[in-house]
Amino acid sequence: MGISRDRIHKRRQTGGQRAKSHKKRKHALGRTPALTKLAPSRIISRRVRGGHRKAHATRSDHGFFAWTSECQIFNTKILDVVYNASNNELVRTKTIVKGCIVAIDATPFKHWYQTYFGIPLGKTPQPIEEGSAEEKQLFESRKKFAPVEQHLQDQFASGRVLACISTRPGQVAKTDGYILEGPELDFYLKKTSKKK
C-alpha cells in the first residue's frame, strides 16, 4: 500500500467511518520523509506531478547562513544538531529539518568581522596597529557599529554559533538558515542548557 494524503480513509469528526467511494488517486500521493542526516551531501532528484523535478537532500553538512543584524551571508559547515522542539529523537539521530537548531562553524563570520571592523571577534578589543592611516580612519568610523551582544561574543569565541534552519531540506535540498540573536538566542540557550 502506497502512502496517501487523502481524507477518504480518515474517520468522521463524530467517529463514524467514511464510505470508500473510490480508490487511491495519483494527486493524493505521499512519499516517505527525506529525514536529512548530518553527513557529506547527497541529493536525490525525483520526477513529480506535472513532469517537474523535485530535489531532496538525504544528507547535508553545509549551508548558507545569514547574520541578520550585520546583513551578511556565508556558506559554512554545520557541526551538530543541538535542539528540535518537535522530537528529541531527531537530535539523537542528527536529523536536519526546518526549524531545528544547529551549531555552525563561526570562522567565515569572524574573518569578515575582523576585516570590516579591524577588531578580532570573540576577544577583548585591541588597538589597531597595522595598516595605513586611511584604513585606521575607516575602522574608527565603523567602530560605533561594531558592538555585538555578549552571548553571541561568547559563542564566537568558542568557534561554534547557534543557528536555525529556515529551509526544508527534504523539499528543496538546501540547508540554509540564520544565526540566532537577541531574545531568540536567550530562549534556545536556556533550552539547550536544560538538556545538558
Side-chain angles (χ1 to χ4, degrees):
M1 294 292 285
I3 298 170
S4 185
R5 299 174 64 245
D6 61 6
R7 289 180 58 198
I8 205 164
H9 69 285
K10 291 283 194 179
R11 285 179 177 267
R12 293 192 178 93
Q13 197 172 7
T14 55
Q17 285 187 323
R18 295 179 200 271
K20 305 289 189 293
S21 58
H22 59 76
K23 292 187 178 182
K24 292 183 178 183
R25 297 290 190 253
K26 182 71 174 176
H27 65 77
L29 172 74
R31 291 191 179 87
T32 53
L35 296 176
T36 308
K37 303 295 180 188
L38 181 60
S41 294
R42 181 193 282 173
I43 295 170
I44 293 172
S45 178
R46 280 184 176 165
R47 182 196 179 278
V48 294
R49 187 171 162 85
H52 302 291
R53 307 295 298 183
K54 185 178 280 188
H56 71 253
T58 54
R59 298 176 186 171
S60 184
D61 64 348
H62 275 79
F64 284 91
F65 289 88
W67 189 358
T68 317
S69 62
E70 300 293 344
C71 300
Q72 295 298 317
I73 299 172
F74 294 103
N75 187 5
T76 187
K77 189 171 184 179
I78 301 171
L79 303 174
D80 194 14
V81 179
V82 179
Y83 179 76
N84 194 313
S86 62
N87 193 349
N88 288 336
E89 192 70 8
L90 298 178
V91 178
R92 189 186 67 81
T93 56
K94 308 291 182 204
T95 304
I96 302 171
V97 294
K98 182 178 177 178
C100 75
I101 306 302
V102 295
I104 62 171
D105 183 22
T107 308
F109 298 96
K110 288 170 75 174
H111 181 261
W112 169 81
Y113 189 90
Q114 186 158 358
T115 54
Y116 189 78
F117 292 111
I119 305 168
L121 186 57
K123 298 177 183 176
T124 51
Q126 298 164 354
I128 302 155
E129 295 173 0
E130 297 176 4
S132 63
E134 289 82 7
E135 283 181 340
K136 288 179 182 178
Q137 192 175 357
L138 186 64
F139 290 148
E140 280 297 323
S141 66
R142 291 172 175 170
K143 217 172 195 177
K144 60 182 177 181
F145 303 110
V148 176
E149 60 179 296
Q150 189 58 47
H151 285 314
L152 204 53
Q153 276 192 32
D154 296 340
Q155 288 190 351
F156 277 116
S158 68
R160 294 159 62 99
V161 183
L162 290 185
C164 180
I165 300 290
S166 58
T167 57
R168 300 172 69 192
Q171 298 286 328
V172 296
K174 292 178 183 177
T175 47
D176 301 341
Y178 59 92
I179 289 177
L180 297 177
E181 298 179 84
E184 194 176 12
L185 176 60
D186 297 339
F187 175 81
Y188 284 112
L189 282 173
K190 285 177 185 174
K191 288 286 184 184
T192 52
S193 63
K194 280 179 186 176
K195 285 182 174 295
K196 290 172 186 175

